[in-house]
Amino acid sequence: MPLGQVLAHCEPLLRLQQRLAEANAHMDAVRPFLPPALSKHVRSGPTEGEGWTLLVSNPAVAAKLRQLLPRLEAALRQKGCAARQIRIRVQSPSPT
């Protein structure tokens, strides 16, 4: 059986794919409202219920994004995204 067929019948992987698609749609909705200098420091995180997490590289980016939250949350509502609340989480760099 081809791998694609196996994955298509695996319920946990299907849910994961759906959550990833939602997170990508949320990111697409807010990306135009992110200042270009900040956008490279922001990644889409998980969606959970009516919340969505933005992962940022440092506390300075998190502080600026908190100022932009009303605009970003309005962009989600305008695009009809399920997430209504955005959380911001500073993600520590991975050790190399």
Side-chain angles (χ1 to χ4, degrees):
M1 181 179 283
L3 181 60
Q5 277 185 319
V6 172
L7 295 177
H9 294 3
C10 181
E11 189 64 32
L13 289 178
L14 288 174
R15 284 193 306 269
L16 179 60
Q17 285 179 322
Q18 182 182 24
R19 289 178 64 197
L20 287 172
E22 284 178 12
N24 288 336
H26 297 342
M27 192 67 188
D28 290 342
V30 301
R31 187 174 282 119
F33 299 96
L34 295 175
L38 292 182
S39 64
K40 64 183 178 182
H41 299 284
V42 179
R43 293 185 313 126
S44 179
T47 58
E48 296 173 15
E50 291 189 4
W52 173 51
T53 303
L54 284 174
L55 305 173
V56 298
S57 60
N58 61 64
V61 173
K64 181 60 180 172
L65 282 183
R66 284 187 182 93
Q67 294 174 350
L68 297 173
L69 275 180
R71 185 183 308 170
L72 300 178
E73 289 172 344
L76 289 178
R77 285 190 300 276
Q78 184 179 18
K79 292 287 185 177
C81 294
R84 299 289 186 226
Q85 178 187 11
I86 299 174
R87 292 178 297 276
I88 298 170
R89 180 168 293 147
V90 177
Q91 192 171 41
S92 58
S94 59
T96 54

